[in-house]
Amino acid sequence: MHIVPLFFAVASLPAALSAALPSISAIKAPFTTNQQWVQDSAGKNFTYVGVNWPGAGEVMIPEGLQYASIESIVSKIKSIKMNSVRLTFTIEMIDNIKDNGGDVTIQDAFNRALGTNNGPKMYQQVIKKNPQFNAKTTRLQVFDAVATELNKQGLYVHLDNHMSKGAWCCSSSDGNTWFGDTYFNVNNWKRGLQFMAEHGKQWPNLVSIGLRNELRSGAQNGLPYNWETWYDQVVPAAGVVNKANPNILIFLSGLDYDTKMEPITSGKDLGNGKKFLLSNFKYANKLVIELHNYQNSATDCGSMESGLWNNGFRATGTTAVNRMPVVLTEFGFSQVGNEYTKTYATCIKKLMPQWKTGWMVWVISGSYYIRSGTQDYEESWGLLNHDWSNWRNPSAISALQGMIDASLKA
Ligand SMILES: *[C@@H]1O[C@H](CO)[C@@H](O)[C@H](O)[C@H]1NC(C)=O
């Protein structure tokens, strides 16, 4: 599928008609950063308020399309006034494009991941719900279609390199942990980032990309697990992305499943005198810190607050050496029962507007095509129910709505 930039498509419409398309004016890209603020192209502060939409599982296709159309999923996200989606992708998809003769069709992708019995059935369900796809549609074209629909409805895309090899993330033994691990070839990683940054120029609403999800220890082989390695790998990768697409923000994620970024906020010696200093970057106004938090059994919001602050949110304060925006790109909890009333959920709900920072909740998917070998895997953390037709827990969503409104107001 070839994406016609909407800007040109709209330019030829009568003024009255184009004014009736709120999606066009809603997108104000590119973004830049200014100290702790993300600003849109009109110079207004922008707070990411969004949800994760996984596309980095075994099938490597954005989830849920056997149950719902892309349009209806985006409409759901928009209905609660979220403004962005963290869309996850694998490096393996790009490796296939570059090394194995081109992108895999969705038909083949389902056969490979689900087997030749269930694969064709899944494919049929997908094209029934999303009749714009057919036997020639490739995985990347599904990403294009998701981005296009988000653009149409006025939502921004944040791309995230979630895994090298398509699978459920993350464990310390999945071979995707750290630079040089079994599946984490650093050259392929940089090539994949470059490819997606370049490819995403076709998406008017692509505003940012996360270089790598949840770096962690556990690699069987590869480079030493420390901040010096982080610096040696992450800084050049950021350079590659910026060169490929100077418009997009680059999200930097930290160690220990992206829970630690303190040495980046403080400009400390990371090893052998290497220091992360914004002043060394020509594109300092494109760099953002991302953090994750899953302290789901917390009982004390005060200690969560100081932990998050000390581990990286300090970058949004006046004392940081590197003053930068911080976005909590993952947090989440079971949507079953009353988790949304407990300390963890209510604490994050309080802190995000308090710090005027953005966030993306894990996760929209009510189920996965396949996860860790189980097909049609039930996701109890999914905001949507198993068949993606409605919210899983309307009370939890109404609590989330409070957080969305407070964050957008802040
Ligand atoms: C962004 O928000 C902060 C805090 O509310 C405010 O001080 C600053 O002026 C805002 N920036 C813009 C460009 O509106």
Side-chain angles (χ1 to χ4, degrees):
M1 185 190 329
H2 177 71
I3 306 294
V4 181
L6 279 171
F7 175 80
F8 298 109
V10 167
S12 58
L13 292 176
L17 183 52
S18 56
L21 293 170
S23 55
I24 305 308
S25 56
I27 295 296
K28 294 194 167 57
F31 289 174
T32 50
T33 69
N34 179 5
Q35 295 191 327
Q36 71 265 48
W37 313 112
V38 172
Q39 291 172 345
D40 68 20
S41 60
K44 280 188 66 180
N45 286 338
F46 177 85
T47 306
Y48 284 86
V49 172
V51 67
N52 281 271
W53 188 343
E58 287 88 332
V59 189
M60 295 174 256
I61 297 172
E63 298 284 344
L65 306 185
Q66 81 276 40
Y67 285 125
S69 67
I70 292 174
E71 185 185 2
S72 72
I73 298 167
V74 174
S75 297
K76 272 268 180 260
I77 298 170
K78 187 185 166 79
S79 74
I80 52 174
K81 296 188 242 144
M82 284 181 161
N83 59 22
S84 47
V85 162
R86 182 173 182 249
L87 187 58
T88 75
F89 71 93
T90 61
I91 297 300
E92 188 179 355
M93 176 170 72
I94 293 104
D95 291 344
N96 288 158
I97 293 170
K98 294 279 187 186
D99 301 334
N100 296 357
D103 194 10
V104 175
T105 64
I106 58 173
Q107 193 170 24
D108 285 345
F110 284 121
N111 286 343
R112 286 183 192 184
L114 307 178
T116 49
N117 190 29
N118 291 342
K121 289 183 204 155
M122 184 66 85
Y123 168 71
Q124 287 302 331
Q125 282 176 259
V126 168
I127 57 170
K128 194 161 166 229
K129 290 288 179 186
N130 292 275
Q132 74 271 38
F133 298 144
N134 58 45
K136 287 194 182 132
T137 305
T138 65
R139 295 177 302 203
L140 187 59
Q141 287 175 330
V142 176
F143 281 84
D144 289 338
V146 169
T148 300
E149 183 61 32
L150 286 164
N151 184 59
K152 194 170 155 203
Q153 298 203 34
L155 279 83
Y156 294 98
V157 178
H158 168 78
L159 273 175
D160 171 67
N161 172 226
H162 211 66
M163 292 282 273
S164 286
K165 186 176 172 59
W168 175 250
C169 188
C170 306
S171 85
S172 59
S173 59
D174 62 17
N176 286 266
T177 61
W178 184 252
F179 312 100
D181 198 0
T182 310
Y183 303 114
F184 194 163
N185 176 302
V186 295
N187 292 328
N188 290 34
W189 170 62
K190 285 179 194 144
R191 180 180 69 172
L193 290 172
Q194 179 180 18
F195 180 90
M196 288 306 277
E198 174 80 34
H199 181 82
K201 286 176 172 173
Q202 298 170 59
W203 308 346
N205 55 337
L206 176 68
V207 283
S208 46
I209 187 168
L211 297 183
R212 186 69 172 194
N213 181 63
E214 298 197 357
L215 295 163
R216 52 200 180 274
S217 66
Q220 296 303 304
N221 28 50
L223 299 169
Y225 183 74
N226 59 39
W227 281 105
E228 187 184 356
T229 301
W230 182 95
Y231 184 90
D232 288 343
Q233 294 303 321
V234 169
V235 172
V240 165
V241 167
N242 179 258
K243 194 166 170 221
N245 185 343
N247 278 335
I248 55 179
L249 303 183
I250 297 172
F251 281 35
L252 309 173
S253 79
L255 267 56
D256 296 356
Y257 295 84
D258 194 20
T259 60
K260 306 226 167 81
M261 278 299 259
E262 189 280 327
I264 303 310
T265 71
S266 61
K268 235 180 220 167
D269 186 347
L270 303 173
N272 284 313
K274 288 166 192 164
K275 291 179 181 177
F276 181 92
L277 294 170
L278 274 184
S279 50
N280 289 339
F281 289 85
K282 285 200 195 100
Y283 51 94
N285 69 345
K286 292 291 183 183
L287 296 171
V288 174
I289 287 175
E290 64 175 316
L291 282 174
H292 291 180
N293 185 281
Y294 287 110
Q295 288 174 273
N296 293 65
S297 50
T299 53
D300 176 5
C301 184
S303 79
M304 268 180 75
E305 175 169 357
S306 53
L308 278 164
W309 187 259
N310 292 332
N311 282 316
F313 273 92
R314 186 188 301 282
T316 65
T318 51
T319 59
V321 170
N322 296 304
R323 286 183 74 180
M324 300 165 71
V326 182
V327 178
L328 189 69
T329 49
E330 280 192 31
F331 74 99
F333 46 87
S334 169
Q335 296 290 298
V336 180
N338 65 348
E339 288 298 310
Y340 68 92
T341 65
K342 296 187 181 162
T343 302
Y344 169 73
T346 56
C347 187
I348 295 208
K349 182 176 174 177
K350 174 184 98 94
L351 294 176
M352 293 299 99
Q354 177 185 315
W355 290 336
K356 304 185 201 308
T357 64
W359 50 269
M360 278 139 147
V361 64
W362 188 272
V363 62
I364 192 68
S365 19
S367 53
Y368 300 100
Y369 303 123
I370 178 171
R371 171 172 149 183
S372 309
T374 302
Q375 298 192 15
D376 198 27
Y377 188 103
E378 164 83 344
E379 173 57 282
S380 59
W381 289 35
L383 300 188
L384 293 174
N385 58 10
H386 189 93
D387 69 4
W388 295 58
S389 61
N390 219 327
W391 303 119
R392 182 174 290 268
N393 183 343
S395 308
I397 293 299
S398 110
L400 186 69
Q401 186 71 66
M403 179 171 168
I404 295 167
D405 294 344
S407 290
L408 291 175
K409 218 169 108 196

